[in-house]
Structure formats: structure tokens, C-alpha cells
Amino acid sequence: MSTDSSLTLISAVRTFGGWLKRYKHQSRTLNCEMIFAIYLPPQAETASVPLLWWLSGLTCNDENFSQKAGAHRVAAELGMAIICPDTSPRGSDFPGEHDSYDFGSGAGFYVNATREPWSKHYRMYDYINEELPQLVRAHFPLNGRESISGHSMGGHGALVLALRNPGRFASVSAFAPIVHPGQCPWGEKAFSGYLGDDRESWKAYDACELIAKDTAKQPLLVDQGEADNFLVEQLKPELLEQVCREHNYPLTLRRQPGYDHSYYFIATFIEEHLRYHAEHLFKV
Amino acid sequence: MSTDSSLTLISAVRTFGGWLKRYKHQSRTLNCEMIFAIYLPPQAETASVPLLWWLSGLTCNDENFSQKAGAHRVAAELGMAIICPDTSPRGSDFPGEHDSYDFGSGAGFYVNATREPWSKHYRMYDYINEELPQLVRAHFPLNGRESISGHSMGGHGALVLALRNPGRFASVSAFAPIVHPGQCPWGEKAFSGYLGDDRESWKAYDACELIAKDTAKQPLLVDQGEADNFLVEQLKPELLEQVCREHNYPLTLRRQPGYDHSYYFIATFIEEHLRYHAEHLFKV
């Protein structure tokens, strides 16, 4: 296992007075080279700043959010860094790894796979939860305050990361998250493939299951478009509402009429999420 | 020549309270099916609104600006529609049409080609200047006030359209425009191919040449990133400065330190351009 923690800069682009920087590094958790992007606001040139984790959805990589969410303007105003990891290991080329948009490359589901051959590389939970935080804290002017958000598969990832690590994040939000992967086709396909058929093992990566056992009661902010094509079959926000109601869990679920699953939906509401996270990140 | 002016809706996506709609239609000017996108702000549901033309650069189509510029937020606030045409005819498949990023498909350069085989389809000047305006005015709640902007090849297009049609646009701006296509490799390649070797014929599509003969003196707003890879060889803003100085032409050229040629540059400054255009579009 390599202990190399060096970063190689791929590109640096000026945006809203700050810098969007893409880096590659050798991941010891994933056993492959990974790319991530980090937005450093203007304030990061002279001070340490808080960090928002953004976890992307199926088929995305580190670039989609930066290009399409329109988040840099508000991040620059607030003085907030944003890190965008990739959504899966890359380059292992297992049989079938690139055949589906919803399993394998671009679809790591933020779990630690236990089934061969995926277990050798597909350990995105540990990568996002341990290796990448250590790496970015060592290399960038961050003040240790962190929040998390994400979209769809990445909304699932954000909820799971926050629920499993109470106190780690100042705040958590999600756009159109997969709230109950154990009870939707995307989740069942991915968890069967990465974790096997023992559904008990799936519960550690299922927001609805975690909420039912959680005592930390972190407030959850969730936006869901009502014209989302995946609403009924995959996303099922009513299951999140139900478990939160049953366990008196603080949920703000906003159903947005007419909005779909695209980045236009995210762009419309990202400012409200960033300001919500800033309220918690900058709280003394 | 067909007189069909019907539109077929491809998609409608809710964004910032308005709608981004993509349409296809049979263009009689270009002799092919074309796609364009129009952003209709919330105000368009109950009133007619002004229209901003956005002309995109090399390799782009109707989608890049909508996805990456982050313009809908401000357009929704201001009550401004934005139309994004494609950058060339599509589907003719001439020999060599798809071989270069800077000639043929995705690179129409907003000229009326006179050389075979291009002259049969590549008449983007007339398409943008005549056919498409008539079409959108017939189909959308527009109030007749129009401004124009664009990026790179599209910045060239915006300047040329405005300079050749004094009074047509309330205001004009450009991001990193090709200001003197007759004196840069991109322009020389495109104009030779579309217009032939008689450089006199090129002058009708060259902002610097048009400014030297123009008496309308429309104010020009131009942003140019100083870290733009194409600055020295292709864009040459100093030529625009020079001709405007010589002819007492009102130019505001803003050199933006550190910014490159990408949509991150556009996203950073699009709000200022939209507010600039709104000042003119909403002037009584």
C-alpha cells in the first residue's frame, strides 16, 4: 500500500475571482489513479476557508457540477471551497464495468464493495470518508469546517456519509437523493453487485435504514423536483418523509413543481443550499 | 423553397422559474433541419419580453451556453428571453465537413458562403439575421426589443450582425471575439473556404473593417481574458482597440487578468453583460 500523498495539478482555471483546480493522485484506497476538482474562492488566498463536499450522480465525474451548477459565484461571495470527487474508481476495466450507466464506472454508489472483483477497487465510502479528506486537508487552506451535499446517487452518498458520522459535517443537504437504495431498482442492482445478496449488509449504506437507528438527529435539507422522471420508481421521497416522521427526525423536504432531474434543477436551487451550509459552516 | 414555419418542440426544462425550450425546424435558408434553444423567463407567461441573441463559438451547438453560462438566474430576474442558435448547418455531410473543429460543422462563422459546395447550406448570416428572427417573433411572446452577444466566433458574429444593421439591436457585447477574421488563422481558413480568395469579399464579415466605415457608432462592450490561449494568434483585441481609436468609435474593452477562453470566463462576467443589455432593452 503506497503512502504517497502527492497531487499532480491537471488544470487551474480562474472563475469568479477564485480558482477551479483539477488534480490527479494515486489512491491507496481505490488502487488506481483518481481525479478530483476543488474550487478555491478568492478568500483562500489569504485565509483558511470551510469546505463543501459535493457528491455527483450516475454517469458524472468531477466536472459536471463545476460546469453546470453555477455554484462558484455564491461560493466566491461566501468564501467557501467546494470539492468534487469522481463517482467511481477508473481504469480497472473489469468485464462488464463499463456496460451499464448505473453500475461500475461512473456508478460507485459511495459503498465499500465486498464482492470480487469490485472489492479490489470499488471502495468509494472509505475514499470519500477517509483518504480524500486527509489529502485535501494536507494540501489546501481549509479551516476544518465541512458540510456535504450531492445529487441523486450523490445525494444518497451525502446522506449516508452524514448519518454514519454524526458531528463530522456542519450540515447536510441533497438534491433528488436515492433515499432508500434497498427498495429501488438502482440501489438493488448496485448493492447486489457490490455487496452481495445479504440485504442486512446493505443497511449501512441506506439513508432510510440509518435514520431509523440514528439518535443524532441532524437536520436534513432535501430538494426534489416534481417532474423528475425518476421520482416514482427510484427516488421515492415519501419513504424518507415516512421514516423521518416515525422517528421524529428533522427533515425539510421541498417538492419543487415542474423541475426535473437535470442540472438546471440543481442550478436553480444551489444558491439556497450554499447559503444554508454557510449558516452552519460560519457559525461561531 | 419551403415556406413552412412550424416548430417542433424537442424538450422543455424548468429553470429559475422559467422554461428552457429546444425546438427543431426546417430552415429554408440553410436547406436542412436546425435546432435552437430559447430561454423564456417567468415574465413571458403573462407579458411580452425583450430578447437577447447569444451566438456561440467553435465546436458549440445550441446547448453549451444554456448549460454552462449560468445566465438563466439573471435573465429570470430581469425578464429577458435568450435565444441560442446552433453554430452551423447540420447533416449535409460534405467531404471534409466534419474534419476540422474550425471549419464546416460547428464552425459556420455567421457568413453566407459563396463557394461550392458550402453555398448550398452555409448561409448562417441570413439564417441568424432574417429567417430565425421572423420565426421566433411569430412563435414567442417577444416585445421586439433585441440585443446581441456572443463568444469567440460568436463574438465575431455578434459584432458583425450589429455593425451591419445599425439600430436593429439595442446593445451589443462580446466575450473574447474574433475581431479581425481577415487577419487571423481561424478567419483566413474559414473565409477562404466559404467565400474564396477575394479578400475584398471578406470585409463584409470583419468587425475591424466594418468599424472603419461605420458612422452609426454603436457602443461596443467587450470582455477579454488575459490568460486566453488564443489571445495573441487569433483574437488580437489590440486591433479592435486601434481601429476604434482611429475612428473615434465607442469601445469598452475590459482585459480580465487570469481568465481563459472557457465558459468559466463567460459565467463570471455574463451577469454584467445581461444587466448592461437590460439597461438598453428596457430603456423607454
Side-chain angles (χ1 to χ4, degrees):
Chain A
M1 190 177 282
S2 164
T3 56
D4 182 15
S5 65
S6 65
L7 299 179
T8 303
L9 184 67
I10 298 173
S11 63
V13 176
R14 199 130 184 90
T15 164
F16 287 94
W19 291 96
L20 176 66
K21 297 187 175 185
R22 298 183 73 212
Y23 292 91
K24 62 182 175 182
H25 73 106
Q26 186 62 35
S27 167
R28 63 176 189 271
T29 307
L30 306 178
N31 288 304
C32 66
E33 190 174 83
M34 292 294 286
I35 291 175
F36 69 86
I38 187 166
Y39 179 66
L40 295 167
Q43 295 85 342
E45 306 208 355
T46 52
S48 62
V49 297
L51 177 68
L52 178 70
W53 288 82
W54 175 266
L55 304 186
S56 284
L58 291 168
T59 77
C60 289
N61 60 21
D62 68 289
E63 296 195 289
N64 306 65
F65 180 82
S66 300
Q67 291 177 342
K68 296 182 175 178
H72 298 159
R73 177 183 60 88
V74 182
E77 178 203 317
L78 297 171
M80 180 191 295
I82 304 176
I83 183 164
C84 300
D86 204 344
T87 57
S88 78
R90 302 286 177 177
S92 40
D93 294 331
F94 293 131
E97 186 178 6
H98 313 306
D99 294 352
S100 306
Y101 80 98
D102 56 0
F103 185 74
S105 54
F109 268 85
Y110 307 102
V111 304
N112 292 331
T114 51
R115 277 190 69 212
E116 293 291 337
W118 310 101
S119 54
K120 183 160 187 271
H121 296 286
Y122 278 68
R123 301 178 54 81
M124 288 296 289
Y125 182 84
D126 281 353
Y127 175 69
I128 302 290
N129 197 44
E130 294 177 12
E131 182 179 1
L132 199 50
Q134 290 168 20
L135 198 63
V136 297
R137 288 171 197 154
H139 284 87
F140 301 102
L142 303 171
N143 69 8
R145 300 280 292 171
E146 301 183 8
S147 289
I148 192 164
S149 187
H151 175 231
S152 195
M153 176 184 75
H156 141 75
L159 294 174
V160 166
L161 266 282
L163 290 164
R164 286 181 58 166
N165 299 277
R168 156 89 197 276
F169 299 102
S171 48
V172 54
S173 75
F175 293 78
I178 303 170
V179 299
H180 203 349
Q183 286 190 29
C184 76
W186 277 342
E188 290 176 317
K189 176 176 179 177
F191 285 12
S192 301
Y194 296 135
L195 304 172
D197 294 331
D198 175 12
R199 286 179 174 246
E200 201 59 36
S201 71
W202 298 8
K203 294 184 177 175
Y205 301 107
D206 188 312
C208 279
E209 300 286 354
L210 291 165
I211 286 167
K213 293 177 187 164
D214 187 40
T215 55
K217 299 204 189 300
Q218 306 169 69
L220 310 178
L221 170 62
V222 174
D223 269 314
Q224 174 62 59
E226 289 192 330
D228 189 320
N229 282 338
F230 304 108
L231 183 63
V232 175
E233 193 186 359
Q234 305 282 6
L235 303 175
K236 306 183 181 182
E238 67 279 7
L239 298 181
L240 180 66
E241 267 184 324
Q242 186 185 327
V243 70
C244 285
R245 198 183 313 115
E246 287 171 9
H247 295 271
N248 199 25
Y249 210 96
L251 166 69
T252 303
L253 172 65
R254 312 190 308 181
R255 295 172 184 268
Q256 306 288 2
Y259 287 88
D260 69 6
H261 200 65
S262 73
Y263 263 93
Y264 293 110
F265 160 61
I266 298 171
T268 301
F269 298 103
I270 192 68
E271 178 167 359
E272 293 178 27
H273 284 239
L274 294 179
R275 295 193 187 283
Y276 171 79
H277 290 298
E279 278 177 28
H280 295 83
L281 286 167
F282 291 101
K283 202 184 282 178
V284 182
Chain B
M1 191 177 282
S2 164
T3 56
D4 181 16
S5 64
S6 66
L7 298 179
T8 304
L9 184 67
I10 298 172
S11 63
V13 177
R14 199 131 184 91
T15 162
F16 287 94
W19 291 96
L20 176 67
K21 297 187 175 186
R22 298 183 73 211
Y23 292 91
K24 61 182 175 183
H25 72 107
Q26 187 63 34
S27 166
R28 61 177 189 273
T29 308
L30 305 178
N31 288 304
C32 66
E33 190 174 84
M34 293 293 287
I35 292 174
F36 69 87
I38 187 166
Y39 178 66
L40 295 167
Q43 294 85 343
E45 306 208 355
T46 53
S48 62
V49 296
L51 177 67
L52 177 70
W53 289 82
W54 174 265
L55 304 186
S56 284
L58 292 168
T59 75
C60 288
N61 60 20
D62 68 288
E63 296 194 290
N64 305 67
F65 181 82
S66 300
Q67 291 177 343
K68 296 182 175 179
H72 299 160
R73 177 183 60 89
V74 181
E77 178 202 318
L78 296 171
M80 182 190 294
I82 304 177
I83 182 164
C84 299
D86 204 345
T87 58
S88 78
R90 301 286 177 177
S92 40
D93 294 331
F94 294 132
E97 186 179 5
H98 313 307
D99 294 352
S100 306
Y101 81 98
D102 55 2
F103 185 73
S105 55
F109 267 86
Y110 307 102
V111 304
N112 292 332
T114 52
R115 279 189 69 211
E116 293 292 338
W118 310 102
S119 54
K120 184 160 187 272
H121 296 286
Y122 278 69
R123 300 178 55 79
M124 288 296 289
Y125 181 83
D126 281 353
Y127 175 68
I128 302 290
N129 197 43
E130 295 176 12
E131 183 179 1
L132 198 51
Q134 289 168 21
L135 198 64
V136 297
R137 287 170 199 154
H139 284 87
F140 301 102
L142 303 171
N143 70 6
R145 301 280 291 169
E146 301 184 7
S147 290
I148 192 165
S149 187
H151 175 231
S152 195
M153 176 183 75
H156 141 75
L159 294 174
V160 166
L161 265 284
L163 290 164
R164 286 180 59 166
N165 299 279
R168 156 91 198 276
F169 299 102
S171 48
V172 54
S173 75
F175 293 78
I178 303 171
V179 298
H180 203 348
Q183 287 191 26
C184 76
W186 277 341
E188 290 175 317
K189 177 176 177 178
F191 284 13
S192 301
Y194 296 134
L195 304 172
D197 293 332
D198 176 12
R199 287 180 174 246
E200 201 58 34
S201 71
W202 298 9
K203 293 184 178 176
Y205 302 107
D206 188 312
C208 280
E209 300 286 354
L210 292 165
I211 286 167
K213 293 175 187 164
D214 187 39
T215 55
K217 298 204 189 302
Q218 305 170 69
L220 310 177
L221 171 62
V222 174
D223 270 314
Q224 173 62 59
E226 290 193 327
D228 189 318
N229 283 336
F230 304 109
L231 182 64
V232 175
E233 192 185 359
Q234 305 282 7
L235 304 174
K236 306 182 179 181
E238 66 280 4
L239 299 181
L240 181 66
E241 267 184 324
Q242 186 185 326
V243 71
C244 286
R245 198 183 312 116
E246 287 171 8
H247 296 270
N248 199 24
Y249 211 97
L251 167 69
T252 303
L253 172 64
R254 313 191 306 184
R255 295 172 183 270
Q256 305 288 3
Y259 286 88
D260 69 7
H261 201 65
S262 73
Y263 263 93
Y264 292 111
F265 160 61
I266 298 170
T268 301
F269 298 104
I270 192 68
E271 177 167 359
E272 294 178 27
H273 284 239
L274 294 179
R275 294 193 187 282
Y276 170 79
H277 290 298
E279 279 177 26
H280 295 82
L281 286 167
F282 291 99
K283 202 185 281 179
V284 184

